[in-house]
Amino acid sequence: DAGVIQSPRHEVTEMGQEVTLRCKPISGHDYLFWYRQTMMRGLELLIYFNNNVPIDDSGMPEDRFSAKMPNASFSTLKIQPSEPRDSAVYFCASSRDRVNYGYTFGSGTRLTVV
Amino acid sequence: AQTVTQSQPEMSVQEAETVTLSCTYDTSESDYYLFWYKQPPSRQMILVIRQEAYKQQNATENRFSVNFQKAAKSFSLKISDSQLGDAAMYFCAYRIPYGGATNKLIFGTGTLLAVQP
């Protein structure tokens, strides 16, 4: 089991550019979550999917953020256009349907927007 | 709404000693799950221990144990025989056992643990 795989590990981009973060969940996990971590706001849930369907996107900060899960093994989080305040660590996590399990997190993507 | 509170932003412990990290939560649910996650400088989020609310027995994983007080809505983490590798940010988290739209893991703000040699 390779765990949850995120790419890239680090991303530096200029303000106004499009950024795409990628995630491959653990095979067999029905849920996929995108979190953002900052010093000021801690860990925030942005959006999560169940069986590739978005269930709750109330945490997505604004229309510049979008997420997709075209199949069970891949998800993207896109920011367009990016702004300096989007700088954070973005985590992807996946979980089995049985909710007594915790999530398995990826290693995160550190995004810096300059 | 469910909330998770960690009142200790930072803690310090001597190597080989025992330390307890505090966590309280607010919920109207009777059935739920609680977790402690560790985030070392590598930033990887690692599940340390979990507790089912319907179980009275406190969970234990090697040097890590919890003190779960359901009536007080308290869920503290005890680390025994602290090691240098235990230095990390520790997050308490809560999750209700239903699927669908309510399937969320809610995190506290974290406690940064330093281990002194």
Side-chain angles (χ1 to χ4, degrees):
Chain A
D1 185 351
V4 176
I5 300 172
Q6 289 187 248
S7 64
R9 183 159 174 80
H10 304 277
E11 177 79 35
V12 180
T13 190
E14 292 185 347
M15 183 174 63
Q17 296 298 305
E18 177 181 294
V19 177
T20 299
L21 311 182
R22 297 173 175 80
C23 176
K24 176 180 171 55
I26 292 174
S27 177
H29 281 194
D30 298 295
Y31 286 86
L32 183 138
F33 306 83
W34 283 100
Y35 277 84
R36 178 172 68 176
Q37 185 179 33
T38 62
M39 289 294 293
M40 292 298 295
R41 301 175 69 90
L43 280 156
E44 302 175 275
L45 177 64
L46 300 178
I47 185 171
Y48 75 94
F49 297 83
N50 178 209
N51 292 323
N52 313 338
V53 177
I55 301 300
D56 184 354
D57 64 354
S58 60
M60 296 286 263
E62 46 197 276
D63 292 345
R64 298 184 297 106
F65 286 69
S66 63
K68 294 182 179 180
M69 192 166 185
N71 56 62
S73 60
F74 185 65
S75 178
T76 60
L77 178 67
K78 184 177 294 186
I79 308 172
Q80 166 64 20
S82 58
E83 297 182 3
R85 59 189 168 128
D86 301 331
S87 297
V89 178
Y90 290 82
F91 284 101
C92 175
S94 68
S95 173
R96 299 182 197 180
D97 189 46
R98 290 183 63 189
V99 296
N100 60 331
Y101 289 92
Y103 300 177
T104 301
F105 282 80
S107 299
T109 295
R110 179 175 294 281
L111 173 65
T112 304
V113 184
V114 298
Chain B
Q2 295 92 357
T3 58
V4 177
T5 301
Q6 294 178 251
S7 59
Q8 306 153 316
E10 297 183 14
M11 294 280 286
S12 182
V13 63
Q14 291 291 129
E15 198 175 2
E17 297 295 310
T18 296
V19 64
T20 298
L21 309 184
S22 300
C23 173
T24 59
Y25 55 94
D26 186 21
T27 183
S28 58
E29 303 288 338
S30 60
D31 192 16
Y32 47 86
Y33 297 90
L34 297 163
F35 306 87
W36 279 97
Y37 278 86
K38 170 185 177 180
Q39 187 179 37
S42 67
R43 80 171 181 244
Q44 180 72 49
M45 293 285 284
I46 302 165
L47 178 62
V48 174
I49 198 165
R50 68 169 67 91
Q51 173 80 42
E52 293 91 340
Y54 63 85
K55 290 186 177 180
Q56 292 187 330
Q57 185 174 7
N58 290 323
T60 299
E61 290 286 345
N62 300 313
R63 298 182 296 107
F64 298 87
S65 61
V66 300
N67 183 4
F68 174 50
Q69 302 290 327
K70 189 172 184 179
K73 297 180 182 176
S74 172
F75 181 61
S76 60
L77 175 70
K78 185 171 81 171
I79 306 174
S80 304
D81 185 25
S82 296
Q83 300 176 359
L84 295 177
D86 295 335
M89 181 74 86
Y90 286 82
F91 292 96
C92 178
Y94 162 101
R95 184 177 185 182
I96 58 174
Y98 310 123
T102 55
N103 190 348
K104 297 182 183 182
L105 193 58
I106 300 169
F107 286 92
T109 52
T111 296
L112 183 61
L113 178 66
V115 180
Q116 307 299 329

